[in-house]
Each structure stands twice: as structure tokens, then as C-alpha cells.
Amino acid sequence: MSGPCTFLRPRSVRRGAALTLVFGCVVAVGTASGLWDGETANAARLPARSVARAADRAEVARAAAEAMAHGKSGAQAAEEVVSRSGDRWGAVYSAREFEDVRQALDGSYVGVGIWVRGGHGGRIEVARVQPGAPAGHAGVRAGDRLRTIDGRAVTGQPVTEVVARLRGAGDGGRPARAGTPVELGLERGGHAWQEPLHRTRLATETVTARRWAADRTTRITVGSFTRSTGEQVRRAVRKAPAGDRILLDLRGNSGGLVTEAVTAASAFLDGGLVATYDVRGEQQALYARQGGDTGRPLVVLVDGGTMSAAELLAGALQDRGRAVVVGSRTFGKGSVQMPSELPDGSVAELTVGHYRTPAGRLVDGRGITPDLAVRGGAEDRARTVLSGLGGGA
């Protein structure tokens, strides 16, 4: 899995990023899998507003069909149309690649079971190790420095590209299958070594909780928004001891299903607006459920790897005055992609709209600005802020 990500070339890493759960909110994937219904999404239509045109579905499909009629690759022709359109987040996937996206949204992935984050001087560090995964069995620990993957240096690379390489999807390629080998170059306390591993299919652990009894703080970390993540957040809040403050850690959260982010927002809000979005000029709104915990002090941790659905959640809690946001400016991925199947079975995912926070702030290209900007020691600062907010209800 992944940690904080900083895209330098959005479209060049788009495909690999999506296949490693480092992708934006794929609204139509939710639609296709039955997640984007009126009850789940709490969507309400607003007055229509025009949006900038990216690539047109019919145009892309026509290019693919014409290429196939001449014995050429329909997917490649579609990719050329998307590229020329200037659609920053548009992409074309093979049928297998898109199925991997669906599986990822269902909460599984092929990898070695580590989350990574960017560190000082371009270092790539292991943020967390999934218990029972290949990396965990090999003794890899949080805090270890990742130096190489299959002999290629990773220092200074965008975390998204590092994650893609861990998944075997480097340079925009398809992800590797379970059982394929990968060798990690690691360092701990000045000791460097090579660790040969084999990728396997793992269940995604998107929500974890840790409690500090001394200052009565429960940290809830959300790695991405796959199926059931929202309910996991709600359960974690309910299980937190009475009087505990909540630190919601969205650092490195790559996004996922918007409906799950809305459900997560419902853990902290008593109904009300979470976000608005437009699809081809038609605006809609997303609302939280009623009955969330509105009494506990809440701080949200974000960074440059906080993307898409995670940005919507942070922005909603900030705009609604429910949380203090601490960290660094988020990535700025706030566009809506809609997939459509092409004649050869590949899938073109095209940008059709954009998201806004409850206060009307555009997320795409701008991100969410924290209330307290912090780089080093963000978690410690966040806990200090929490201590000044008093005890929970």
C-alpha cells in the first residue's frame, strides 16, 4: 500500500497510481458496483452549471473503433485522444487493469504489505507494515528506510511512483500478479540490507486506531476509502473511550470512493452538507447522515499526499467548523472521472466535473489549506492543539 504521495507528472503516473489505490474519487466505479445510489450518497440536485470540456466519450470510442478497423490498437488510439484533450486525470485502462481497480475499491491489492511516506531530503520510509504480510514476516519495521526496489533507487522519487513499483506497476504498466518477486533495499540504524520478497494478494486495512491514555487521545488513521471504510471510521469513533479527543489522520490518504468519505464525515457531523460536485454541468450535493458525534474535540492531520475523497472530508470538517486541520497543503485532486467501456474491452476514464467543499471552495489544483501549517512534528503539534480544545463530551 501507500503513504503520502506527491505527483510531479499527474498523467504519466495516473494508471499506475490508480492501480495502487493512489487515485482520485471514481464516482462511476461506485455507480457500476451499486454504491452510488441516492440513499448511500445522499445526493441532491442543484441548479446546473457549465463545466470545462475534456475528452468526449463518443470521440474516444470512435477513435478506438476506427483504429481497430485498421488492425491497430483501440486502446492506444483512445489514449492519444485523451492525451491531446489536455485531460489531466484522464486515462485508458485494459480490461484487466480496470478490474484491478475494482478489486482495490473492494478492499484488496497485490503487494508486500507496507505503507510508505516521504521523509526529509527525499527519503522514502516505511510508515506501517501490515501484520501477516510478506514484509512483516521478513521483519521489515515502521521507520525503516526504503532505498531501492529491484536495484533502482527510490530516494527523491514521488511516493506514487514508489508505490507503483512496489506493486509492479512502474512506468504506468499493469500491476504484477501475486507470487511475483521483488527485492527491497532497506536500511535501519546505519545497517543496509537486501530483502527478497514475493507479492501476494492482501486485504486492505484502511482504518486503524491507537490510543494514548496519558492525554486521552485516540488517533484514527485512514489510509484510503474503499468499500466499508466509512463504517469502520464510525465504529472507531464509537469505540473510543468517553472523554477522548479524536485525531483523524488523513496523511497519505489517496482517496477512493466518495460515498465512503461521506459516511466517514457522518461520524463527526449531525447531517448537513459534505460536498457538491458537477457532472457535465449538472450539480449535485452530498450530505452526511444525522447522529454523528459532534461533542469530541477533533483535529484532522493532512499533508501533500492527502488526495481527493480525503480532501473532501478534511474540507467538509473544516468548513463546517467541526475540526481544526493541521499539517501541510493537500494535493489538490478534486475532479470527477467517469469510466466508459471501449469497443475492445478497455476502459477510458474521463474527467466530467469537479468537487467543491461546503463553503464552495474548489479543491482541484488548489487543495485544502490547513488551519495550522506544520511540516516537521505534525502529529505532536496536532496533539498539542487537541489538548487545548478540552475534553470530549
Side-chain angles (χ1 to χ4, degrees):
M1 281 298 291
S2 69
C5 44
T6 307
F7 280 18
L8 298 182
R9 300 185 302 277
R11 293 200 68 256
S12 68
V13 298
R14 169 67 177 152
R15 297 170 71 210
L19 298 174
T20 55
L21 273 184
V22 184
F23 56 96
C25 310
V26 189
V27 174
V29 170
T31 305
S33 57
L35 292 179
W36 198 258
D37 53 60
E39 182 179 358
T40 303
N42 269 329
R45 295 186 177 183
L46 300 174
R49 185 178 62 83
S50 63
V51 296
R53 174 187 178 275
D56 180 80
R57 284 187 299 175
E59 178 185 1
V60 173
R62 183 168 56 251
E66 290 176 355
M68 292 173 63
H70 291 85
K72 299 180 180 179
S73 168
Q76 183 175 349
E79 177 65 30
E80 291 174 356
V81 173
V82 174
S83 180
R84 288 197 305 269
S85 75
D87 187 343
R88 186 182 185 216
W89 294 105
V92 178
Y93 304 98
S94 69
R96 180 195 159 195
E97 288 172 339
F98 198 69
E99 180 58 28
D100 285 331
V101 174
R102 290 182 184 275
Q103 290 179 5
L105 288 171
D106 282 337
S108 67
Y109 71 104
V110 172
V112 296
I114 63 173
W115 281 253
V116 296
R117 64 188 173 212
H120 180 71
R123 291 166 57 104
I124 301 296
E125 300 173 348
V126 176
R128 187 160 67 88
V129 180
Q130 183 168 334
H137 284 310
V140 179
R141 303 176 190 168
D144 289 346
R145 179 180 181 182
L146 179 62
R147 300 175 62 93
T148 62
I149 300 174
D150 289 331
R152 294 174 55 191
V154 299
T155 300
Q157 296 296 306
V159 176
T160 48
E161 295 187 9
V162 175
V163 171
R165 287 165 58 184
L166 286 169
R167 286 287 313 277
D171 301 321
R174 65 179 58 186
R177 294 182 181 276
T180 56
V182 59
E183 185 174 76
L184 308 186
L186 297 156
E187 180 182 324
R188 180 191 304 155
H191 170 64
W193 78 100
Q194 300 294 314
E195 192 66 63
L197 301 170
H198 284 82
R199 300 178 179 95
T200 188
R201 182 162 293 281
L202 298 163
T204 305
E205 294 183 350
T206 58
V207 180
T208 58
R210 175 185 177 185
R211 183 172 188 257
W212 291 283
D215 57 5
R216 304 201 67 176
T217 297
T218 294
R219 181 187 67 193
I220 300 173
T221 302
V222 186
S224 59
F225 288 99
T226 61
R227 194 187 302 270
S228 85
T229 295
E231 285 300 333
Q232 291 179 49
V233 172
R234 286 166 60 87
R235 285 197 298 270
V237 173
R238 288 196 297 266
K239 289 182 179 180
D244 267 25
R245 309 172 182 90
I246 301 294
L247 178 59
L248 181 63
D249 192 347
L250 300 180
R251 292 175 298 178
N253 185 308
S254 52
L257 292 171
V258 174
T259 51
E260 297 297 331
V262 173
T263 300
S266 301
F268 306 102
L269 299 170
D270 187 18
L273 186 64
V274 174
T276 60
Y277 67 97
D278 56 75
V279 175
R280 298 190 181 95
E282 183 176 286
Q283 287 199 344
Q284 298 192 28
L286 301 170
Y287 294 96
R289 304 176 194 172
Q290 294 183 332
D293 188 331
T294 61
R296 298 178 189 265
L298 175 65
V299 165
V300 179
L301 265 175
V302 298
D303 66 4
T306 305
M307 298 176 64
S308 201
E311 292 179 277
L312 295 187
L313 175 56
L317 296 175
Q318 185 182 52
D319 281 3
R320 297 282 303 276
R322 179 63 186 90
V324 177
V325 178
V326 175
S328 53
R329 184 187 295 271
T330 63
F331 180 77
K333 167 64 173 70
S335 57
V336 183
Q337 276 72 50
M338 192 76 73
S340 58
E341 187 172 353
L342 300 177
D344 63 353
S346 59
V347 176
E349 190 178 81
L350 310 176
T351 299
V352 295
H354 297 86
Y355 292 100
R356 290 181 181 271
T357 68
R361 291 182 293 166
L362 187 67
V363 177
D364 202 54
R366 301 180 184 181
I368 300 297
T369 301
D371 298 302
L372 176 62
V374 179
R375 292 194 177 274
E379 185 171 295
D380 290 339
R381 292 292 299 276
R383 290 173 65 182
T384 300
V385 171
L386 268 175
S387 67
L389 296 178

